Amino acid sequence: MNELIQRLIDKVGLSEQQANTAMQTVVGFVKEKVPAPIAAQVETVLAGGSEGGGALGSISGALGGMFGKN
């Protein structure tokens, strides 16, 4: 998550506090919209968890399925 926060700071010009608030808002929104197992994986990936690519692949596949793309 720190990498994304840093990108918001660098590319958008937000303060660290604003970037953190934006990230928490987006993460909360995504987690509300996806099934619980995927929400947990979102948190793992954004926290830099060891599942990394595998979890990200699972998330993107599941999200694609939700939007009719497999």
Side-chain angles (χ1 to χ4, degrees), residues 8-60:
L8 287 169
I9 292 168
D10 295 342
K11 293 188 180 221
V12 183
L14 298 176
S15 70
E16 185 174 350
Q17 182 178 0
Q18 290 170 321
N20 191 36
T21 300
M23 278 300 304
Q24 295 302 322
T25 301
V26 171
V27 169
F29 176 81
V30 169
K31 287 171 63 176
E32 288 174 5
K33 300 296 180 183
V34 299
I38 295 172
Q41 290 181 351
V42 167
E43 189 70 34
T44 299
V45 170
L46 292 176
S50 60
E51 294 181 36
L56 188 56
S58 297
I59 291 168
S60 63

